[in-house]
């Protein structure tokens, strides 16, 4: 069983299964999480705090990131095709080469 309290605050490397289990247990604070190249297609991370997270080259197709805090997150090369970003905070997020929900590639 995953103990959410052991992950409070800055999170180092995390695998997608741990992330899903923690989210299901009510955890929402994943700032600084290292999820580089993670397979997160279809994941629900609504209202998650992912500021400064490393999501570089992550597959976030069909992900629910509504109202998520992605400020300063590294999303370079990530695939956000068909992802829900309604109300998400992307302030200062690194988006170069990111495939956006509408299919465009961010410059």
């Amino acid at each position: 069983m995953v103990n959410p309290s052991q992950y409070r605050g800055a999170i180092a490397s995390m695998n997608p299964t741990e992330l899903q289990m923690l989210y299901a247990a009510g955890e929402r604070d994943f700032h600084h999480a290292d999820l580089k190249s993670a397979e997160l297609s279809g994941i629900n991370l609504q209202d998650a705090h992912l500021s400064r997270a490393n999501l570089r080259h992550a597959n976030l197709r069909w992900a629910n990131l509504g109202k998520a805090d992605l400020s300063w997150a590294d999303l370079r090369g990530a695939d956000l095709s068909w992802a829900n970003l309604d109300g998400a905070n992307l302030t200062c997020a690194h988006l170069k080469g990111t495939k956006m929900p509408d299919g465009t590639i961010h410059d």
Side-chain angles (χ1 to χ4, degrees), residues 19-87:
L19 177 66
Q20 287 181 308
M21 289 173 63
L22 288 166
Y23 186 89
E27 183 62 49
R28 297 297 181 267
D29 188 4
F30 303 106
H31 74 282
H32 289 278
D34 184 359
L35 293 157
K36 183 177 181 182
S37 300
E39 173 54 56
L40 301 170
S41 181
I43 196 166
N44 179 20
L45 293 173
Q46 184 171 336
D47 295 313
H49 180 103
L50 291 157
S51 67
R52 299 190 186 275
N54 181 2
L55 292 160
R56 195 171 190 171
H57 301 291
N59 180 1
L60 290 157
R61 296 177 89 178
W62 295 100
N64 180 6
L65 298 166
K67 298 181 184 175
D69 180 3
L70 293 159
S71 59
W72 296 95
D74 187 351
L75 289 156
R76 291 175 287 179
D79 187 352
L80 292 169
S81 300
W82 302 289
N84 172 21
L85 295 174
D86 291 343

